[in-house]
Amino acid sequence: MLSPILTNIYLDQLDRKLDVLCQQHSQGERRIPNKVYLTLTRRRKQLLLQGETNPSLRKTLQNRLRKLNRDILQTSTSDYNDPTYTRVKFLRYADDVVIGIIGPKSLAEQTREELAVFLRGDLKLELNPQKTVITHLATERAHFLGYLIKTAKPRYRKRNLRSKGSPHNVVQAVKTTSGNIKLLVPLRELNPKLEKYMSNGQPACLNALINQPVDHIIEHYNGVIRGWYNYFQLAENVSRLNYARYVLQYSLAKTLAHKEGSSVSKVFRKYGKDITFVKSNGRPVHFFNLPLKQVKKAKTTEPDVDVLPTWGPRYTRSKLLDNCAICDSSEKVEMHHVRHIRKRGEKLKGFSFYLAAINRKQIPVCHQCHRDIHNGKYDGNSLTEILDRLHFQNPAFKGSSS
């Protein structure tokens, strides 16, 4: 976990250098107006005035006005090649850096060269030539932190000129956005990850999960689709993940069908379309079924992060309750494991010693109690009370084995 921290400390000088480059290469208050656009709008205003002063000419002017409107919509309001207006911005995450430049390609090449010289001389680093590319977002797509980045096409809507203070009662199409940046899901990069759950182009059973409990199997598939959605929910086309959810849903159904020796249709009849399984404590676990809608504003960081579990060999199923064995909490319940429980040497103490005495390798505890166990905060008296309460809650506990 130290790697990202050390990376940020070491690359702090890079941030300072990029700040200097941004200030050095950014100039101008705003772009100069496009002369062609001004000429077209001036002609349209003249035609509108003719129609206002002489209503009999309005029908004859309609075709000319429509053509002018189409030309105006296809013409930029400002001169995008204005050499007096440039902007340089950057965003860094660990060792991944993206630099946005408004200006000529020569400015991008100059900035890349200055950055390479600084990294080589001050930080003893080299730019990766395969990843350090110059991309024209108007015609190409860029990759950053798993997202695809491109500029959006202009959007249009109808508006009455009077809403902007014009004396003319004329409705026309206007641009609402032009050149905005949008984020996209890299579908081609996700497809290879889906192949694990497919065979011959169709959802398939995942044999590695057949011996797991039903709720653990569902949680594994939930971890995949929920993790992708939580990461790509800022993308404009995040709904395209519905295909991935379809593959995972039917792969889950086929895995359960193989586990129970039945068919996919019987699995859906038994567990429902959302594949809902009710645990022994009455808590339902169902396949992720929330709508995949775009979130237009990033959420604040929450401590409850989705974790994709990795399963090892599991020979028997635990008969313990799902709540914490110490404080009876149902929040963030984890399994505390002990290795080599029969090695009763001097190194075994505390919780490990007690679990070895009852031949038990795992016990459910909440996150806080789990930390307390590893910090050695439980003595013999505390453990005796915990085990007595466990035996009272679940008489089968003392004699059970895992």
Side-chain angles (χ1 to χ4, degrees):
M1 296 299 292
L2 285 177
S3 177
I5 299 176
L6 296 176
T7 300
N8 284 331
I9 294 174
Y10 190 71
L11 294 181
D12 179 66
Q13 298 181 53
L14 174 61
D15 294 342
R16 297 176 185 272
K17 176 62 177 179
L18 288 171
D19 280 330
V20 172
L21 290 177
C22 290
Q23 296 176 11
Q24 179 182 346
H25 295 302
S26 297
Q27 60 177 344
E29 292 290 332
R30 59 179 61 186
R31 292 188 179 97
I32 61 175
N34 187 350
K35 294 182 180 179
V36 177
Y37 180 83
L38 294 178
T39 301
L40 293 174
T41 54
R42 194 179 300 113
R43 290 178 184 174
R44 183 177 62 184
K45 183 177 181 180
Q46 292 173 355
L47 293 179
L48 290 173
L49 287 174
Q50 290 181 22
E52 291 290 339
T53 56
N54 192 350
S56 62
L57 296 177
R58 290 181 182 178
K59 289 186 178 181
T60 60
L61 298 176
Q62 284 182 354
N63 292 334
R64 294 172 62 185
L65 280 171
R66 288 172 182 169
K67 185 179 183 306
L68 275 175
N69 286 336
R70 286 194 298 266
D71 293 340
I72 289 173
L73 291 176
Q74 296 173 4
T75 306
S76 60
T77 59
S78 303
D79 184 4
Y80 285 99
N81 296 319
D82 181 9
T84 63
Y85 181 87
T86 56
R87 289 290 185 272
V88 178
K89 302 289 184 180
F90 81 95
L91 177 64
R92 181 181 69 82
Y93 183 86
D95 59 344
D96 289 329
V97 183
V98 61
I99 302 176
I101 296 177
I102 296 177
K105 184 177 180 180
S106 59
L107 176 58
E109 294 173 344
Q110 178 184 348
T111 304
R112 180 174 61 179
E113 184 60 29
E114 292 180 5
L115 192 60
V117 172
F118 169 78
L119 290 174
R120 191 181 305 112
D122 292 49
L123 299 182
K124 310 304 178 185
L125 299 174
E126 291 288 339
L127 287 178
N128 188 333
Q130 296 180 348
K131 293 185 177 180
T132 310
V133 295
I134 297 176
T135 304
H136 185 224
L137 284 183
T139 57
E140 302 173 280
R141 296 182 179 184
H143 293 259
F144 185 62
L145 299 180
Y147 276 90
L148 284 179
I149 305 174
K150 65 170 296 185
T151 54
K153 295 181 179 179
R155 297 180 180 178
Y156 307 94
R157 68 178 179 88
K158 291 185 177 181
R159 185 186 68 185
N160 195 311
L161 292 182
R162 282 186 174 176
S163 63
K164 290 295 182 179
S166 173
H168 310 294
N169 184 21
V170 177
V171 177
Q172 61 181 196
V174 294
K175 286 183 182 179
T176 56
T177 58
S178 181
N180 288 0
I181 299 297
K182 68 177 182 180
L183 304 177
L184 300 174
V185 178
L187 298 173
R188 292 184 179 180
E189 296 180 9
L190 292 182
N191 285 336
K193 299 180 181 179
L194 275 177
E195 292 179 358
K196 175 182 177 182
Y197 305 94
M198 302 180 69
S199 177
N200 298 323
Q202 297 295 327
C205 167
L206 193 60
N207 293 325
L209 297 179
I210 291 177
N211 294 325
Q212 299 291 339
V214 175
D215 55 326
H216 288 190
I217 297 176
I218 297 175
E219 287 170 356
H220 172 86
Y221 282 91
N222 279 347
V224 177
I225 185 62
R226 188 187 289 114
W228 286 351
Y229 174 64
N230 285 348
Y231 188 78
F232 291 112
Q233 60 185 345
L234 295 175
E236 186 173 300
N237 64 339
V238 67
S239 60
R240 298 289 294 275
L241 288 178
N242 277 309
Y243 172 72
R245 178 162 61 181
Y246 156 78
V247 172
L248 294 172
Q249 182 182 19
Y250 276 83
S251 175
L252 168 60
K254 290 185 177 182
T255 302
L256 294 179
H258 195 172
K259 174 182 177 66
E260 299 177 357
S262 62
S263 64
V264 172
S265 59
K266 290 182 180 179
V267 167
F268 282 123
R269 282 199 296 269
K270 178 179 180 180
Y271 297 106
K273 193 66 177 178
D274 293 333
I275 309 183
T276 302
F277 174 79
V278 181
K279 302 170 74 171
S280 58
N281 63 351
R283 188 186 307 164
V285 178
H286 58 80
F287 183 65
F288 182 78
N289 63 348
L290 295 178
L292 302 180
K293 296 181 179 180
Q294 179 191 15
V295 177
K296 297 185 179 180
K297 185 177 181 180
K299 299 179 181 178
T300 56
T301 305
E302 297 179 0
D304 188 12
V305 189
D306 292 296
V307 179
L308 179 61
T310 55
W311 307 110
R314 185 183 180 92
Y315 301 106
T316 60
R317 184 175 179 178
S318 173
K319 296 180 181 179
L320 296 174
L321 298 177
D322 289 321
N323 292 349
C324 176
I326 298 175
C327 65
D328 201 33
S329 172
S330 60
E331 300 295 329
K332 292 187 178 180
V333 176
E334 306 166 353
M335 295 301 292
H336 172 67
H337 294 82
V338 179
R339 296 182 179 180
H340 309 300
I341 59 175
R342 292 180 178 83
K343 294 183 179 180
R344 300 284 300 278
E346 294 181 357
K347 294 182 179 179
L348 274 179
K349 59 182 181 179
F351 231 88
S352 301
F353 183 85
Y354 241 87
L355 292 180
I358 62 173
N359 197 26
R360 162 72 52 188
K361 290 183 62 177
Q362 57 187 6
I363 188 170
V365 289
C366 67
H367 180 70
Q368 184 59 45
C369 291
H370 202 175
R371 293 182 62 182
D372 292 343
I373 291 172
H374 285 283
N375 290 334
K377 293 186 178 180
Y378 290 102
D379 55 15
N381 294 330
S382 300
L383 293 175
T384 302
E385 296 175 359
I386 293 170
L387 291 175
D388 289 342
R389 185 168 68 252
L390 276 174
H391 181 63
F392 175 77
Q393 293 177 348
N394 188 3
F397 167 73
K398 193 170 184 179
S400 62
S401 60
S402 64

